[in-house]
Amino acid sequence: MIRLMNFSLSRLPVCRVSVLWTLLSVVCAAEEATESLRARSRAVLAQLEGETRLPGLKAEVRVIRDRWGIAHIEAGNTHDLFFAQGFVVAQDRLFQLDLWRRTGFGEMAELQGQDALEGDRFARLLLFRGDMKEEWRSYAPDTREIATAFAEGINAFIQQAGPQGLPVEFQLLGYQPRPWRAEDVLPRMSGLIMSGNWQRELTRARLIAEAGVETARRFAPTDPPREFALDP
């Protein structure tokens, strides 16, 4: 059982607003009034209070939402902790998770058509095709256990929500997310997307070489601000 507590009762969760309005303009601008769409989106927002019983948990878990909507999870064991994390993150951003997974495994063309084929081909070139048992052994000893529990939590939300309780983006686009596997957290593509800093570092180094440190500090500062580490 997961016990859900919200410490900000006046706060209306709006975790999907940016994607929602993008879809509004693209998918249903002429089909559905704004107020109707808002009502549909609110109807499937995350449950913030009460109790929910989920198969797969070993003991009771508490999820406390602070006034910013951030979930704080209290669990008695590692499995339940990451199971609950998967469940909660799916409550808040399942559509984003599904897009990340599709991007990592080269499945975006199923949603976007030919425009996404080039990106899908590149993502599939990066897919790991070796022995997954060896791959898991290259991480910390409990990584597979954690990833499995996390995926089980996501799947618990998908199953509990059912087609009508999924985030509104799925309803508008007319598809359902497939169940998650532990290895879905390992695609190389996501790591590449999140490692764009190397390009900024190269640009900054070239700027230092061509225009000097002070100019680079002015036009290419780090965030948060840090002193440049120059190779003596």
Side-chain angles (χ1 to χ4, degrees), residues 80-227:
D80 286 359
L81 175 64
F82 287 98
F83 184 104
Q85 185 188 21
F87 182 84
V88 169
V89 77
Q91 279 188 311
D92 286 350
R93 54 206 303 183
L94 180 60
F95 184 66
Q96 182 183 16
L97 284 176
D98 191 65
L99 291 186
W100 279 351
R101 187 194 57 75
R102 285 179 172 274
T103 299
F105 285 90
E107 300 174 1
M108 285 301 296
E110 293 179 12
L111 300 181
Q112 297 180 333
Q114 291 190 351
D115 290 344
L117 283 176
E118 184 177 358
D120 280 357
R121 289 192 189 102
F122 182 64
R124 293 188 183 204
L125 284 173
L126 297 178
L127 287 178
F128 179 74
R129 293 178 173 83
D131 185 340
M132 280 306 300
K133 292 182 180 178
E134 290 297 324
E135 174 74 354
W136 286 116
R137 279 196 283 268
S138 71
Y139 298 100
D142 59 351
T143 300
R144 188 172 188 176
E145 176 189 354
I146 288 172
T148 299
F150 182 76
E152 289 173 351
I154 295 175
N155 293 336
F157 173 75
I158 294 173
Q159 184 174 6
Q160 183 195 67
Q164 300 306 313
L166 290 171
V168 71
E169 297 91 343
F170 293 103
Q171 299 179 32
L172 293 174
L173 291 174
Y175 84 96
Q176 296 183 35
R178 70 160 172 76
W180 275 60
R181 307 162 301 174
E183 53 265 34
D184 286 343
V185 306
L186 299 179
R188 269 61 174 169
M189 186 69 172
S190 20
L192 183 65
I193 292 171
M194 292 186 289
S195 61
N197 183 60
W198 68 270
Q199 295 172 307
R200 291 189 291 273
E201 292 291 341
L202 283 177
T203 300
R204 190 177 290 116
R206 288 172 181 152
L207 185 60
I208 291 172
E210 295 176 10
V213 174
E214 291 307 319
T215 300
R217 282 195 181 117
R218 205 161 59 246
F219 289 100
T222 61
D223 183 19
R226 295 179 182 276
E227 291 294 326

Side-chain angles (χ1 to χ4, degrees), residues 27-105:
V27 178
C28 58
E31 299 179 8
E32 195 165 14
T34 301
E35 284 304 317
S36 174
L37 186 58
R38 283 180 179 151
R40 289 180 65 184
S41 64
R42 287 179 182 137
V44 292
L45 286 173
Q47 177 187 351
L48 301 184
E49 295 181 284
E51 296 179 356
T52 183
R53 296 187 178 277
L54 301 174
L57 285 175
K58 299 177 180 178
E60 181 176 298
V61 175
R62 295 206 314 166
V63 178
I64 304 170
R65 298 270 186 169
D66 64 23
R67 63 191 181 96
W68 294 283
I70 296 172
H72 302 262
I73 302 171
E74 298 177 356
N77 59 79
T78 299
H79 172 273
D80 286 359
L81 175 64
F82 287 98
F83 184 104
Q85 185 188 21
F87 182 84
V88 169
V89 77
Q91 279 188 311
D92 286 350
R93 54 206 303 183
L94 180 60
F95 184 66
Q96 182 183 16
L97 284 176
D98 191 65
L99 291 186
W100 279 351
R101 187 194 57 75
R102 285 179 172 274
T103 299
F105 285 90

